[in-house]
Amino acid sequence: QVPTMAGYVLAGKASDINLARCQYVAEQIQHTHPGLMVRVELQLPHEWPSFCETICRELDLPPDCLKQSMLVWTVEGKLVGGGTAVDFLQVMQDKFGIRVTSMVSVQDPIIRSRAAENLALVEERRRRAQQGPVLADRHRAALERAEAAGRLDPLMDWKRSVVVVEGSQFELRVSQNDLAEQVKMYRAEYGDGYGTVGLARADVVSAVGECTLVLHPKPICHGHCLLPLTQDCEDIQVLGVQPGSDEALEGWFTYESAPRKDGPAAGK
């Protein structure tokens, strides 16, 4: 009789191929038995010993478990057999009547690829935790905040649509203005590309080194940004706001671009 609900936790080194095999088998079984719930705890290889020690102490597991590269227990905290991949696969075979041993082996390219993906996933999570989101994610988040707050005033009305070309999906944005109107608006707003513009501090996407990437308050296209040199930006003091407070994020600063002798203007 197939159980209506069963929950397990797989934990181990992210690079462990036995853990990857257990993951794959569980996912295949879930297609026909959605009552099977499996949570996976992936750890960097050098962090696994301390994590394993913590789990063994919390679940009161036998000392031999400290030598394993992965552990398996139920959601109730009971070790599955000896907590090994073999024990988990045997339980899957007994409970769900599936010949797990013939489903896939640790030598299968799928399993080795999954182990590599697991390790890359954990390394990327750690990198993001230490360094923060990548630039694309920061830009997306800043854009969503600015649009929700109504701080952006696009020069043109863009119509968004999604098209599929030879199986690939593309986002298409079409302006309702004709070319002559676009050129007229560009020149009226931006002139020769030089001048001063006020920018919301909350719309800064990234500020690293000498440059500051910030959303343009009057974008030509969706996601339009400026990349001024930090030295060309000047803070505007906001009375009654304490530096470093949440309110300070609503402050503004100016960016003034001017022709340079050694090259084009910084913000043209």
Side-chain angles (χ1 to χ4, degrees):
Q1 182 178 359
V2 177
T4 56
M5 187 69 69
Y8 302 90
V9 180
L10 302 175
K13 297 179 181 179
S15 58
D16 189 78
I17 57 176
N18 288 303
L19 176 59
R21 185 188 183 196
C22 290
Q23 269 185 285
Y24 178 83
V25 169
E27 290 169 356
Q28 299 307 305
I29 294 177
Q30 285 175 324
H31 290 316
T32 53
H33 300 86
L36 172 64
M37 298 185 301
V38 177
R39 188 175 84 245
V40 182
E41 297 284 352
L42 300 173
Q43 301 294 316
L44 290 172
H46 69 276
E47 294 180 349
W48 167 248
S50 61
F51 181 86
C52 181
E53 183 178 351
T54 300
I55 294 299
C56 289
R57 183 171 59 253
E58 292 179 351
L59 300 182
D60 194 24
L61 302 182
D64 289 346
C65 290
L66 293 172
K67 302 176 183 179
Q68 298 175 191
S69 61
M70 68 166 288
L71 289 174
V72 187
W73 64 90
T74 67
V75 292
E76 294 78 20
K78 181 180 179 181
L79 194 66
V80 176
T84 67
V86 173
D87 294 316
F88 176 74
L89 295 176
Q90 185 62 52
V91 169
M92 293 298 99
Q93 183 166 296
D94 295 342
K95 282 184 174 292
F96 298 98
I98 298 175
R99 290 185 56 83
V100 174
T101 53
S102 61
M103 184 179 295
V104 68
S105 71
V106 293
Q107 302 301 325
D108 196 300
I110 294 178
I111 301 305
R112 294 189 173 277
S113 176
R114 169 60 68 87
E117 291 173 0
N118 284 344
L119 181 58
L121 176 63
V122 176
E123 290 176 338
E124 176 62 14
R125 287 176 179 172
R126 176 54 53 88
R127 187 202 65 75
R128 292 198 176 200
Q130 294 175 342
Q131 303 177 13
V134 296
L135 184 60
D137 291 340
R138 293 180 185 179
H139 178 261
R140 187 181 303 110
L143 191 58
E144 290 175 353
R145 291 196 303 268
E147 290 178 338
R151 285 193 297 271
L152 303 183
D153 183 20
L155 285 181
M156 291 177 293
D157 180 25
W158 294 93
K159 181 180 179 181
R160 177 184 178 276
S161 62
V162 177
V163 297
V164 178
V165 179
E166 296 183 356
S168 298
Q169 182 172 291
F170 297 88
E171 181 178 293
L172 181 64
R173 292 178 182 268
V174 180
S175 172
Q176 303 302 305
N177 308 95
D178 61 35
L179 182 59
E181 291 177 338
Q182 293 179 31
V183 173
K184 184 178 180 179
M185 284 188 291
Y186 291 162
R187 288 178 175 173
E189 181 64 33
Y190 299 110
D192 56 6
Y194 309 132
T196 301
V197 61
L199 303 169
R201 188 172 302 284
D203 294 340
V204 171
V205 176
S206 178
V208 180
E210 298 181 349
C211 294
T212 298
L213 183 66
V214 58
L215 297 175
H216 199 294
K218 292 189 176 182
I220 296 176
C221 60
H222 188 255
H224 180 192
C225 287
L226 283 171
L227 186 62
L229 293 175
T230 304
Q231 66 186 30
D232 293 331
C233 297
E234 180 179 351
D235 284 334
I236 294 179
Q237 299 299 324
V238 182
L239 299 178
V241 175
Q242 295 295 324
S245 68
D246 292 339
E247 292 179 88
L249 291 177
E250 298 303 323
W252 295 75
F253 62 95
T254 60
Y255 162 51
E256 182 173 0
S257 62
R260 296 180 181 276
K261 294 180 180 180
D262 56 348
K268 186 173 182 179

